[in-house]
Amino acid sequence: MLNERNLKNLLYQEFARIGKSLSSPKRLEILDILSQGPKSVEALSKATTMSVANVSQHLQTLTNSRLVTFQKKGNYVIYELADVAISNFLTSLHNLSEKQFVQVQQIKEEFLNAHLGMDGITLSELKERLEKGEVVLLDVRPKEEYEKAHIPGAISIPIEELREKLSSLPTNYDVVAYCRGQYCLMSVEAVEILKNNGINAHRLENSVQDWHQFQDKSTGELK
Amino acid sequence: MLNERNLKNLLYQEFARIGKSLSSPKRLEILDILSQGPKSVEALSKATTMSVANVSQHLQTLTNSRLVTFQKKGNYVIYELADVAISNFLTSLHNLSEKQFVQVQQIKEEFLNAHLGMDGITLSELKERLEKGEVVLLDVRPKEEYEKAHIPGAISIPIEELREKLSSLPTNYDVVAYCRGQYCLMSVEAVEILKNNGINAHRLENSVQDWHQFQDKSTGELK
DNA sequence: CAATTATTCAATTAAATAGTTGAATAGATA
DNA sequence: TATCTATTCAACTATTTAATTGAATAATTG
C-alpha cells in the first residue's frame, strides 16, 4: 500500500542513505581526502592509516550512497567524489559542526599550532598586500574548482602538483595559499611545502565565498 | 598523545556526530517537521506516527548533537531547531539526495500525485501573473524566514496560522503558496487547506533562492 | 491531595555496523 | 605461464543502534 506515510518513509529512507554515509568519522575523512582529487584505494589507506580492506569496504558504502564513483585504471581502482556539490556539502557540514561544537574550533587550533609557523593572514591584510603587489596568491584546490570561481588575482596550482611546479613560483615574493576554508587542509600542506623550499608562505583560512562576502561588506560600507 | 593522527580522529569524530544524527530516517523526519517551527514531543509523535518514548529518545540524540534545543513550557517540552543554518543544511541534503538518486524524484512525484489537484505553477508563470495582479503570493514559512528574505510581493502567513487567517485572504484571487523548495511540504498542506476553503490555489515548488537565480538569469538575457 | 497528562528513564531485544583476518580475483609484469 | 600487486570478498567478532515496554517524574487540573 502506498499511502502518504509510506511515501514519507521511503523519502526519508533515501535521504538517510546519505546521512548514514556521513555517520562514520573514517568515511568523512575519506570523503575529505577525495575532495582534493581522485585517489586509489591504497593511497586512501595510507593517508588514513586504515587497512586496505577496511577502506575498500567504506568505499563500497560510499559508492552505494552515490557519493563517490570509481574507474579501473589497470591494476588500480581510482575513486573520486561523484559530484562537486558533495565537496560543498562537506564544507557546510564542517561549518555547521563548528557552529554547534566549541571543541571543533579548539581541535582545529591545536592542529594549526602543531604545524609550526603556520602564519595566517586576514582578508584585509591580503587585499592590502595584493594591491601593493607584494604577494602571490595561490589557489591550491583542484583545477575545476579554480575555474569555476577563484579570488581575483589568484593563480592555480593544485596541491597535487605543487612540488613539481615550485620552480614556476617567484622566490622574491611572499606566497599566500588558500583552498576551501577553515577545515580545508590543502593550504596547510601547501604552506609547509613552500616553507620547506625557502619560500615565505602564509595561509589564508578563508574561502572564495568568504572573500565575496568580505568584498560586499567593504563596498557596502563605502556607500 | 596528541599527534596529527589523533587530532584528525578527534576532528572527524566531531563532524560525525552530526552525520550520525542524520543517519536515521526518523530523525530526519523529526528535523524536517521542526524546521516548520517549534513542536512538543507529543505533536512530533503524532506527525511521525512514532511512539512518544521513541520520539523522546531521538530528540535526545538530536539534542546531544546540538541540532535541536528545547524549553519547558508547563507540562510540555517544546523542541526547536538549534539554528536556522540547520534548516538550510537539510535543504541541501534533500537536493544532494535528489541529485544522486532518481528514485527520490520519483517518490516526490508520487507524493504530489497522491495530493489530488496539486497544480504547480512555474516561476515564469508566476512572474507574469504577479505583474498582471492576478494572484496573491503566499509565503507559508515561519515568520523569521520570511523576514530574512522572501519573494518580492509575497505576504507572510506561516502554515501554522493559515487556518485562522483564511478570512484575511481575498476569495476573488488565485493564491500561490510557496515555502523552501521541492521537498518542503508546507506549501502542499497550504494548497490543500486553501482548496478545501474554496480558494483556488497553486503550489510553487521553488524557493526564494531559486527565484533569485531565475531573476539573475532573465535579466542576464536582457543584456 | 488524588488523578491526569506529558515526558523521560531503564531494561530488553533484534538488527545493523565497524573492523579484522585470510582467501579469492583480476590485471600487470617478468 | 608463474608471479606479483591492488583490490575485493566472505566470515567472524565486538559494538552500536533502533524500537518496545513498563515504570518513574514532574507539572497541571479538578
Side-chain angles (χ1 to χ4, degrees), chain B:
Chain B
M1 193 180 65
L2 213 55
N3 58 16
E4 178 159 342
R5 175 95 313 263
N6 288 336
L7 276 169
K8 280 195 185 173
N9 286 348
L10 279 173
L11 191 61
Y12 286 109
Q13 252 164 51
E14 290 297 327
F15 292 155
R17 288 169 75 164
I18 293 186
K20 283 200 174 68
S21 278
L22 305 177
S23 69
S24 145
K26 299 295 182 186
R27 276 196 295 269
L28 286 174
E29 188 173 0
I30 291 174
L31 287 171
D32 250 16
I33 296 170
L34 286 180
S35 80
Q36 297 176 21
K39 294 274 184 316
S40 72
V41 180
E42 200 194 14
L44 288 167
S45 158
K46 276 212 186 99
T48 58
T49 70
M50 299 166 67
S51 75
V52 172
N54 196 11
V55 170
S56 174
Q57 240 171 276
H58 280 304
L59 286 168
Q60 255 146 323
T61 55
L62 290 172
T63 307
N64 287 334
S65 60
R66 313 288 161 84
L67 292 177
V68 306
T69 56
F70 61 89
Q71 56 191 125
K72 299 213 166 189
K73 278 254 173 78
N75 223 343
Y76 295 79
V77 180
I78 307 294
Y79 283 84
E80 64 183 314
L81 291 194
D83 196 301
V84 207
I86 294 163
S87 176
N88 297 330
F89 188 71
L90 290 172
T91 305
S92 56
L93 174 65
H94 298 162
N95 290 336
L96 189 61
S97 182
E98 185 190 4
K99 214 168 184 173
Q100 315 303 315
F101 297 106
V102 205
Q103 54 270 50
V104 169
Q105 170 80 20
Q106 288 167 348
I107 295 167
K108 183 195 70 176
E109 269 159 23
E110 284 193 55
F111 183 87
L112 291 181
N113 286 340
H115 288 256
L116 288 169
M118 187 57 54
D119 338 320
I121 180 172
T122 65
L123 278 171
S124 44
E125 283 166 356
L126 171 69
K127 196 181 172 187
E128 200 185 313
R129 299 194 63 189
L130 264 181
E131 280 164 1
K132 287 191 192 153
E134 288 175 5
V135 291
V136 174
L137 181 58
L138 185 60
D139 187 321
V140 293
R141 297 173 302 159
K143 210 95 188 174
E144 312 92 67
E145 287 182 59
Y146 171 86
E147 277 160 8
K148 243 183 148 182
H150 58 262
I151 301 183
I155 62 169
S156 165
I157 303 182
I159 185 72
E160 318 264 78
E161 302 165 20
L162 185 55
R163 261 174 249 265
E164 324 151 19
K165 297 196 175 162
L166 271 172
S167 53
S168 69
L169 284 171
T171 45
N172 46 340
Y173 287 96
D174 277 17
V175 172
V176 173
Y178 78 94
C179 44
R180 302 199 187 95
Q182 302 187 64
Y183 295 100
C184 175
L185 302 179
M186 292 185 280
S187 55
V188 175
E189 198 186 334
V191 169
E192 286 193 320
I193 293 174
L194 292 166
K195 291 216 167 190
N196 288 340
N197 286 275
I199 298 174
N200 197 16
H202 306 270
R203 173 173 185 253
L204 177 73
E205 76 162 23
N206 303 88
S207 66
V208 177
Q209 234 181 320
D210 293 336
W211 184 87
H212 277 123
Q213 277 171 21
F214 170 76
Q215 280 295 91
D216 288 353
K217 217 178 63 189
S218 41
T219 54
E221 280 164 3
L222 292 178
K223 279 180 194 166

Side-chain angles (χ1 to χ4, degrees), chain A residues 8-65:
Chain A
K8 281 195 184 172
N9 287 347
L10 278 172
L11 192 60
Y12 286 108
Q13 250 163 50
E14 290 297 326
F15 292 155
R17 287 169 76 163
I18 294 186
K20 282 199 174 66
S21 278
L22 305 178
S23 69
S24 143
K26 299 295 184 185
R27 277 197 293 271
L28 286 174
E29 188 174 359
I30 290 173
L31 287 171
D32 249 16
I33 296 171
L34 286 180
S35 81
Q36 297 177 20
K39 293 276 183 315
S40 71
V41 180
E42 202 193 12
L44 288 167
S45 158
K46 275 211 186 102
T48 57
T49 70
M50 299 166 69
S51 76
V52 172
N54 196 11
V55 170
S56 175
Q57 242 171 276
H58 280 305
L59 285 168
Q60 255 147 324
T61 54
L62 289 171
T63 307
N64 287 334
S65 61

Side-chain angles (χ1 to χ4, degrees), chain A residues 176-216:
Chain A
V176 173
Y178 78 94
C179 47
R180 299 200 188 94
Q182 303 187 61
Y183 295 98
C184 175
L185 302 180
M186 294 186 279
S187 54
V188 175
E189 199 186 333
V191 169
E192 287 194 317
I193 294 173
L194 292 166
K195 290 217 166 190
N196 288 339
N197 285 274
I199 298 174
N200 197 14
H202 306 269
R203 174 171 184 253
L204 177 74
E205 76 161 25
N206 302 88
S207 66
V208 178
Q209 234 180 317
D210 293 334
W211 185 86
H212 278 122
Q213 276 173 20
F214 171 75
Q215 280 294 93
D216 288 355

